[in-house]
Amino acid sequence: MTGRFPPSRPYTADAVPEVQSKTRRRLRVLAASMPVVVLGALLLAPTASAGWFLPQTDGSPNADGIRTLYILITVIGLVIFVGVEGLLIYSMIRFRARKGRVAAQIHGNTQLEIGWTVGAAAILVFLTVFTFLLLNDIKNPAASQIDSNGQPIAAAHAQFASTDQPAPPGGNSLNIKVIGQQYSWNFQYPQIDDKRVYAYNDMYVPVGMTVTLDVESVDVAHSWWIPQLGGKADAIPGYTNKMWFRIPVDAIPEGQDRVVYGGQCAELCGRNHADMVARVIGLRFDDWKSWYDSKAQQLKQAQDEGAAERKQLESSEGQ
Amino acid sequence: VAAIGARPQIIAHEVDRPRRGWVQWLTTTDHKKIGILYLCTVLVFFVLGGVEALLMRIQLGTPENTFLTPEKYNEILTMHGTTMIFLVIVPVWAGFANYFLPLMIGARDVAFPRLNAWSYWMFLFGGIALYASMFFTPPEAGWFSYVPLSLKEFTPSNGQEAWIYMVHLTGLSSIIGAINFIATIHNMRAPGMGWGRMPLFVWTILIYAYLIILALTSLAASVTMLLLDRNFGTNFFDPNEGGSALLWQHLFWFFGHPEVYILVLPAFGVFSEILPVFARKPIFGYKAIAAATAGIAFLGMLVWAHHMFATPMSTVVLAFFMLSSFLIAVPTGVKIFNWVATLWRGTVEWTVPLLFCVGGIATFLMGGITGIFLAVFPVDWQLTDTYFVVAHFHYTAFGASAFAMVGALYYWFPKMTGRKMSEGLGRVSFVLFFIGFHLTFLVQHSAGLDGMPRRIYEYSSSAGWEVQNLISSIGSWVLALGILLTIINMVRSLKRGVIAGPDPWKANTLEWFTTSPPPVNNFDVIPRVRSVEPMKDIRRQIERQTGAPQRFEAGKPMVRA
């Protein structure tokens, strides 16, 4: 389209014919080696050390779903990466300026250009479909593996994704309010048997139970994140964000009484942002229940003592 | 082409006496001088921003390091981001466009030369306002200044006001500059240069200018609201008073994502100019590249909330921004394919400008692919606000913009100074630049996957991130050395570089038609443009008229350097 000027002789020399066939052969080799590369990546990816190549997970269904999606995109991305970088390096070396070589004066190729536009779009359509297939299991809480008395129950499927995070099917879940503040996390547990419990920085939960979180903030924006238990939920003052996880019921190693997952605030929240850490500690249901009861006891005792002191102080001031 | 051999026609009456010394730099309205002022100022800020990056890498090189206090770290973090975005990459394209846009379209200056000078001085004073705060209380709420952290209650220092002032001054500078570029491009092109014959760098500057007008005006409104909230009792962003903390994020990223394309589109323009010159081949699919530029800009206005996937949002909104982010990969991919096809069957000369362009494309491709991971919102829930994102946007912003700006420097330095930069030193610089960059940022993907959040001033040795961070910190010094070599090369070549002549690369566009450096009026006679590659046409005509070969022959060095 740009070569309106009739090209004169020295500018129109085509590339040497035998070059073309050699080029084609090498391209074919490149194309043939692609499935091997992809297969290798597929096989290596899950076994490779998680932190270097893959997002972390320890069996929470949402984190598992995210990792599956990540692997899929990695495979597609690797094919594109190897293909395009390969072509780039190949053209740099193969078509390097040498004596006697003449550049082919090509202005474009409409079919080819339409082809790669449609091709790129097709890959993205495929990715979209795949994302929505997995989205359900990532966004919506899965059914709890145990009921509210700690008894195992049969697996059930989650409902399809909706605008808000729905309650987990089966009705068994533990809802904890997570409140970010400079620079700690406050966890408010639901009322059980007339007892109220709250805690800071260490969140104790029963394994196998679906835990839903209402993430809030009282000062600046924070972000709740325990990498092995799924994604982030920004804690923004004035809003309630939703997040959930379910530690597998068999996550506690043999001979131990707990499983610990670390994480820290992921949104810049001030000077001590790096020190705003949190842990989720999974206990067996009975252990968790006794932790809950003793925590409630401790809090009540502290509250009573505080009230007594206040009363004493008030009465002494009143005299 | 009647221009060849024609005698200059200069009308000399009523011409001001030329000023000399430093006064000429203070009072100039010449687009070339202003361009050089821009580029020199950008260089100073680039070094400052780079030193800030090195300080952060020293702090993070080892766990539990106490080299920087948390306060200092946050200040340096804020200064680094703000400097590189507002004081380096946006104005570097204003600098190159100032110098080369009028030359490339065959104009004698920009449409409004005095306004142009004003743009430059506002940019300079914006930068000085920000850096003056370094001596008092620098801003520390990050370059994105999320509320409520940036409100007076949580960040009481006046550094935040300095930051707002800088955004206003540089924003006005960019908006006025953009109006100038648009007026120039629309009205002052050489005879025969229709939209379909305009150089692709000019195309990208045109789109860059429109994006600046759309995005930076929005930012100006947002920071004004922040200023009012901080000092005059309004409550746009305070949730306790009926304001919304999310409003700032929406407004900021409504500017912030088009801004990404403001940084990167002119870099694409540089790739599209330099590749065909050194492949000795026309650009592959000129119309597709120009259309893709416009497509990226349009879609770039519709993807802002993908920066906010972890905030409270409904699935519909999440899905929309995922799809729009996917869509933008299509025109971007088209450009990359076209660049590769431009090299294909060419005779590729491995000059330093070309190496920086190809290195930039190779790097940017990686950033584009990690962008797909981040566009898929469930995956983004894991990756956002981690070092994976830090790696991603350095692969795109540094990969495209910084590689392109160094490539552009090597490519256009002969035109600006009349001398070529050393190719040998340039090659060494490129190798260090390329290796240093990937050493610094490739492992940051792993650090992010392993759970390392962004913007933390320290990490514990039990976190398991030492190896990644050590590699990254070593890489940052290799990268710095590469940049230092280019700066040395530049300073050295000012006096000692090989004399370039008007067209050392045998390039395609009109800036090479005039002398190096060009005279004040750029062209005595402006040739008629007949294709995207007017210089090729002119050389062809000379060859036909004189019989002397003008074409470059593959494998033969053109100018020794």
Side-chain angles (χ1 to χ4, degrees), chain B residues 422-445:
Chain B
S422 155
E423 284 277 309
L425 198 52
R427 257 183 228 127
V428 177
S429 168
F430 168 74
V431 170
L432 290 174
F433 198 88
F434 190 82
I435 293 175
F437 174 85
H438 289 274
L439 214 52
T440 309
F441 294 106
L442 188 64
V443 280
Q444 292 189 356
H445 294 104

Side-chain angles (χ1 to χ4, degrees), chain B residues 496-552:
Chain B
R496 299 209 205 143
V498 176
I499 303 286
D503 186 10
W505 310 115
K506 299 250 186 241
N508 300 333
T509 38
L510 276 184
E511 74 268 32
W512 307 102
F513 182 65
T514 183
T515 56
S516 306
V520 177
N521 64 337
N522 293 352
F523 306 97
D524 291 331
V525 175
I526 295 161
R528 188 169 183 85
V529 174
R530 294 165 198 283
S531 78
V532 186
E533 300 164 320
M535 284 305 289
K536 240 186 211 175
D537 302 337
I538 289 166
R539 283 198 296 274
R540 207 173 288 166
Q541 186 145 353
I542 295 171
E543 199 169 80
R544 214 172 288 154
Q545 284 175 351
T546 64
Q550 297 291 314
R551 185 170 60 87
F552 174 74

Side-chain angles (χ1 to χ4, degrees), chain B residues 314-333:
Chain B
S314 69
T315 311
V316 179
V317 179
L318 294 168
F320 173 84
F321 283 101
M322 174 177 80
L323 291 176
S324 61
S325 308
F326 274 178
L327 272 181
I328 213 163
V330 175
T332 314

Side-chain angles (χ1 to χ4, degrees), chain B residues 14-168:
Chain B
E14 286 183 6
V15 171
D16 285 342
R17 220 151 44 84
R19 297 174 201 277
R20 295 183 189 287
W22 57 272
V23 180
Q24 66 171 339
W25 292 100
L26 284 182
T27 57
T28 187
T29 57
D30 176 19
H31 72 98
K32 297 182 289 296
K33 283 212 169 72
I34 293 170
I36 286 172
L37 284 173
Y38 262 110
L39 293 175
C40 291
T41 314
V42 162
L43 181 67
V44 172
F45 285 125
F46 185 56
V47 170
L48 287 170
V51 169
E52 284 149 11
L54 288 175
L55 290 174
M56 287 192 286
R57 281 318 323 166
I58 293 173
Q59 166 68 13
L60 294 175
T62 50
E64 284 140 13
N65 199 351
T66 52
F67 175 69
L68 295 174
T69 61
E71 179 188 352
K72 280 275 168 297
Y73 186 87
N74 283 3
E75 290 166 1
I76 289 169
L77 171 94
T78 306
M79 293 300 275
H80 169 73
T82 308
T83 303
M84 290 306 194
I85 302 273
F86 291 102
L87 304 177
V88 175
I89 308 182
V90 177
V92 83
W93 299 129
F96 279 119
N98 244 299
Y99 201 106
F100 291 103
L101 184 138
L103 288 167
M104 288 175 109
I105 63 171
R108 292 197 163 103
D109 206 321
V110 292
F112 311 112
R114 282 194 198 190
L115 215 52
N116 198 22
W118 193 35
S119 281
Y120 166 73
W121 291 104
M122 282 216 290
F123 153 62
L124 176 69
F125 287 121
I128 291 175
L130 181 72
Y131 270 86
S133 77
M134 277 296 242
F135 298 105
F136 305 97
T137 49
E140 53 177 302
W143 87 277
F144 46 93
S145 285
Y146 270 12
V147 295
L149 183 62
S150 61
L151 294 179
K152 202 128 207 165
E153 189 186 349
F154 300 103
T155 306
S157 86
N158 284 333
Q160 197 62 40
E161 268 73 31
W163 182 86
I164 292 169
Y165 192 43
M166 182 283 303
V167 170
H168 267 316

